[in-house]
């Protein structure tokens, strides 16, 4: 199966929403007006690229990447990766690996000194990211806000 990774387009929104519902099944669906407004903000945000993996004409996975300017490390930016999800039917087929390779390529092209992400606290997720060349080097912290 050929896997092509490309920036998401507005026509991918329904497929992205299906993927995100697999990532966060308890989230209520967004009203279409909210979807449109959020997509407009994302698509106009400098340094932001939502990637989609196309496998045989189907959107099989996604990763949200953002280049963050930085005043340390000689002014080199960093790239954060968030909302990585592969559709259940496409897991263990190379889709996730291709998304991570393209995420790193985006960081390299932007002159970033690192690509960083937070991972769910599941051993299989950690094994996947390690297989993609990432190292667990720091303790992550979150504070959810209401």
């Amino acid at each position: 199966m050929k896997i092509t990774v490309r920036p998401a387009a507005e026509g991918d929104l329904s497929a992205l929403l299906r993927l995100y519902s697999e990532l966060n099944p308890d989230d209520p669906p967004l009203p279409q007006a909210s979807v449109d407004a959020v997509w407009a903000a994302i698509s106009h945000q400098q340094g932001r690229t939502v990637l989609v993996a196309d496998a045989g004409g189907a959107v099989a996975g996604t990763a949200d990447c953002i280049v963050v300017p930085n005043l340390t490390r000689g002014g080199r930016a960093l790239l954060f990766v968030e909302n990585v999800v592969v559709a259940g039917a496409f897991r263990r087929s190379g889709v996730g690996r291709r998304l991570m390779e393209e995420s790193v390529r985006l960081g390299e092209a932007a002159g970033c000194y690192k690509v960083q992400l937070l991972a769910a606290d599941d051993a299989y997720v950690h094994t996947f990211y390690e297989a993609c060349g990432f190292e667990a080097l720091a303790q992550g912290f979150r504070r959810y806000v209401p």
Side-chain angles (χ1 to χ4, degrees):
M1 163 178 49
K2 181 177 165 82
I3 301 164
T4 305
V5 178
R6 59 174 173 76
E10 189 171 354
D12 296 314
L13 279 175
S14 60
L16 284 170
L17 293 172
R18 281 192 300 276
L19 287 168
Y20 294 146
S21 71
E22 287 190 44
L23 181 65
N24 297 302
D26 295 332
D27 283 358
L30 286 176
Q32 190 61 48
S34 295
V35 170
D36 295 341
V38 171
W39 180 252
I42 288 171
S43 61
H44 289 98
Q45 189 174 7
Q46 186 174 356
R48 182 95 176 255
T49 306
V50 177
L51 297 172
V52 292
D54 183 294
V59 173
T62 186
D64 192 348
C65 303
I66 185 161
V67 174
V68 179
N70 182 32
L71 288 171
T72 67
R73 302 295 181 157
R76 293 178 68 195
L78 56 144
L79 185 123
F80 280 100
V81 182
E82 185 62 46
N83 295 331
V84 177
V85 59
V86 174
F90 291 96
R91 292 189 185 136
R92 304 188 81 58
S93 65
V95 169
R97 181 174 295 277
R98 287 285 298 116
L99 283 164
M100 297 316 299
E101 289 169 352
E102 186 62 19
S103 297
V104 170
R105 192 198 66 71
L106 282 174
E108 290 170 344
C112 295
Y113 81 96
K114 72 178 175 182
V115 175
Q116 184 165 297
L117 55 86
L118 291 172
D121 195 19
D122 295 310
Y124 76 95
V125 174
H126 297 186
T127 300
F128 166 72
Y129 287 122
E130 288 167 355
C132 291
F134 288 80
E135 297 177 67
L137 295 175
Q139 176 75 37
F141 294 89
R142 291 184 184 138
R143 181 175 174 177
Y144 291 98
V145 294

